[in-house]
């Protein structure tokens, strides 16, 4: 049995559920630092973290700073903002952090159905 080398994480929480949000970003950053190919999807309230400066406003005691976790994911993986989530919040491609793409459910399904992929939802 082959070991999983790709991890797709969908984070649905933001400041509305800070612990769940932080866990998703932490797992993604640790996986990326460990050499795992990571794809982090920002959906729901986490969509706001695709905007410059928003991660710096996030605070959770005893948690790594969100900007550092985002940088860790970007260094070894990809961050995607959900198309519908962006549209509902008035976020457009020119608004997001460098390297963040906007894509929809078809791309997400394609990623999670690939061979050797582990998907997690927070």
């Amino acid at each position: 049995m082959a070991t999983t080398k790709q991890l797709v994480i969908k984070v649905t929480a933001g400041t509305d559920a800070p612990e769940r949000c932080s866990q998703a970003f932490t797992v993604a950053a640790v996986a990326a630092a460990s050499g795992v190919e990571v794809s982090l999807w920002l959906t729901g309230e986490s969509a706001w973290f695709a905007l410059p400066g928003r991660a710096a406003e996030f605070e959770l005691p005893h948690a790594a700073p969100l900007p550092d976790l985002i940088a860790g994911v970007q260094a070894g993986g990809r961050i995607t903002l959900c198309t519908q989530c962006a549209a509902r919040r008035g976020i457009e491609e020119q608004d997001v952090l460098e390297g963040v793409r906007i894509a929809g459910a078809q791309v997400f399904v394609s990623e999670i159905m690939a061979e050797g992929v582990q998907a997690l939802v927070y």
Side-chain angles (χ1 to χ4, degrees):
M1 189 168 156
T3 57
T4 299
K5 295 285 188 199
Q6 297 178 346
L7 181 61
V8 178
I9 298 174
K10 178 184 273 197
V11 56
T12 63
T15 56
D16 57 326
E19 287 182 305
R20 190 161 32 108
C21 176
S22 179
Q23 288 167 1
F25 281 94
T26 300
V27 169
V30 168
S34 301
V36 175
E37 186 181 323
V38 174
S39 177
L40 179 65
W41 282 73
L42 306 179
T43 68
E45 285 301 296
S46 73
W48 294 114
F49 298 126
L51 296 174
R54 284 298 185 97
E57 298 171 4
F58 181 86
E59 291 184 14
L60 181 64
H62 310 290
L66 210 52
D68 295 350
L69 296 175
I70 289 172
V73 174
Q74 287 184 311
R78 169 176 55 235
I79 298 178
T80 305
L81 171 59
C82 160
T83 302
Q84 291 182 10
C85 302
R88 280 191 283 274
R89 289 161 180 79
I91 300 171
E92 297 181 6
E93 214 164 304
Q94 68 269 16
D95 301 328
V96 300
L97 294 166
E98 186 175 337
V100 173
R101 69 174 175 172
I102 297 177
Q106 183 178 359
V107 176
F108 179 76
V109 170
S110 173
E111 283 190 16
I112 65 171
M113 295 308 293
E115 189 71 32
V117 172
Q118 173 68 52
L120 301 174
V121 178
Y122 284 88

